[in-house]
Amino acid sequence: MSDASDTSDDVPFNRDFPLKAGVVEEIRPGLRRVLCNNPSPFTFTGTVSYIIGTGKVAIVDPGPDNEAHAQALIDAVKGETVTHILVTHTHKDHSPGTPRLKAATGATVYAEGPHRASRPYFESETVSTESGADRNFRPDVTISDGDVIEGDGWAVEAVATPGHTANHMAFAWTERDAILVGDHIMGWSTSIVAPPDGSMVDYMNSLDRLIARDEQLYLSGHGAEILEGPRYSRFLKRHRVAREASILHRLGKGETDIPTMVRAIYIGIDPRLMSAAGYSVLAHLEDLVTRGVVATDGDPLIGGRYRLAK
């Protein structure tokens, strides 16, 4: 799920992704992808599911609860055996298709765990409608950072990348110089980080983790592959630092609320995306309040007013 309100030109976005829904495309030997027909301002052309291996395979991110997409995935592996289903995170465009695919294949489901918030809820806080959480998801096998999941002719390392969600997990196929990064990094847009499900501190730390790794080919949950992943990740990191600076610049003019900051920072924003942009601003503000740079009365909430700390 993207922060589609972001139209910044400081990141080299690539919005060229001609893949059609239901078509199987081989990206590299042993790596295929199938696009779900669920386009939106937040999902771009739709959710991308991946197939790892040949013969005995893993499917990564079954996508939404979409019968046509499930059938397209089953058709894509006709004559093969699905032994593993891997899930990067529990948003409604990634994990709800899992039960349908498991029922059809009998595969074992691997993920970090059920959906959860990145921190305890504040007393006055309500569940964000921006989170799009799949709260029904439960994996068969819970995995942790560094775990290696092995199949027939392939092995991937679980790489914890919290931030977009608390349970976000990437999967590195080191032998192919590739890492499936889910929604943590996308080539067409920045990712939404919506507290309390998401955390800007976690997101930035996860960016650093990926930058420090060797894999160059990033395979995202939406849009085209990214060929120089660590380099692109550095662009994203600089962009977030610049976004923080824009927030502080606006607060330098006096106390204000999040909608005012969004209008000042996201020039010409589509009104449909105001709420999503607001939650990304809140993610920055949470971090700034924790660091003592910004102050607010009470807990840092979406409806709060913010000012520079004395």
Side-chain angles (χ1 to χ4, degrees):
M1 186 185 298
S2 86
D3 179 2
S5 53
D6 214 321
T7 57
S8 173
D9 59 3
D10 62 347
V11 180
F13 292 131
N14 173 19
R15 297 190 171 100
D16 180 23
F17 190 52
L19 183 64
K20 302 298 182 186
V23 175
V24 186
E25 181 178 61
E26 185 175 67
I27 314 157
R28 296 281 190 279
L31 269 173
R32 290 166 279 174
R33 62 185 168 197
V34 182
L35 176 69
C36 181
N37 187 25
N38 63 325
S40 79
F42 297 100
T43 61
F44 191 37
T45 59
T47 302
V48 183
S49 300
Y50 293 90
I51 302 166
I52 296 175
T54 55
K56 293 182 179 179
V57 306
I59 293 179
V60 182
D61 282 351
D65 185 11
N66 182 299
E67 185 175 0
H69 185 58
Q71 190 59 52
L73 287 171
I74 292 164
D75 291 345
V77 296
K78 191 172 182 179
E80 300 177 281
T81 302
V82 181
T83 56
H84 298 65
I85 297 170
L86 313 181
V87 176
T88 61
H89 67 294
T90 46
H91 274 160
K92 289 183 179 177
D93 54 330
H94 286 263
S95 56
T98 302
R100 194 187 295 270
L101 198 60
K102 179 178 171 61
T105 64
T108 303
V109 180
Y110 297 76
E112 195 268 0
H115 194 84
R116 68 178 189 280
S118 64
R119 57 155 174 77
Y121 280 84
F122 301 133
E123 280 188 24
S124 55
E125 191 170 37
T126 57
V127 176
S128 164
T129 57
E130 298 302 327
S131 70
D134 174 12
R135 301 184 187 280
N136 297 318
F137 176 83
R138 297 292 184 277
D140 298 320
V141 178
T142 57
I143 53 176
S144 301
D145 181 60
D147 287 352
V148 176
I149 304 161
E150 296 187 57
D152 186 5
W154 58 267
V156 295
E157 177 190 351
V159 182
T161 46
H164 179 63
T165 60
N167 64 356
H168 198 288
M169 190 73 77
F171 298 100
W173 193 3
T174 305
E175 287 187 1
R176 291 290 191 273
D177 191 31
I179 183 166
L180 293 94
V181 292
D183 281 8
H184 184 68
I185 293 177
M186 295 179 286
W188 75 283
S189 173
T190 56
S191 299
I192 187 171
V193 180
D197 288 14
S199 161
M200 189 59 68
V201 173
D202 289 347
Y203 178 84
M204 296 295 279
N205 288 338
S206 294
L207 275 183
D208 285 337
R209 291 203 69 200
L210 292 183
I211 289 168
R213 293 184 64 89
D214 293 332
E215 294 87 12
Q216 293 295 312
L217 178 64
Y218 286 11
L219 302 171
S220 172
H222 307 273
E225 66 272 28
I226 300 161
L227 299 179
E228 295 181 288
R231 177 175 179 268
Y232 182 78
S233 298
R234 285 191 285 271
F235 277 106
L236 291 178
K237 184 177 178 181
R238 285 197 292 269
H239 170 73
R240 295 290 183 174
V241 171
R243 176 56 41 78
E244 178 183 292
S246 296
I247 291 169
L248 293 174
H249 176 75
R250 177 59 188 83
L251 290 175
K253 299 178 180 180
E255 181 178 280
T256 190
D257 58 16
I258 287 176
T260 302
M261 282 184 262
V262 169
R263 286 191 294 271
I265 296 166
Y266 296 81
I267 305 299
I269 184 174
D270 183 331
R272 295 174 300 173
L273 303 175
M274 281 282 289
S275 181
Y279 275 98
S280 277
V281 170
L282 175 63
H284 280 287
L285 289 167
E286 274 196 349
D287 180 26
L288 289 164
V289 169
T290 300
R291 286 154 49 192
V293 179
V294 169
T296 186
D297 295 328
D299 296 318
L301 298 170
I302 193 70
R305 292 185 65 81
Y306 295 86
R307 59 190 178 274
L308 294 178
K310 300 294 186 184

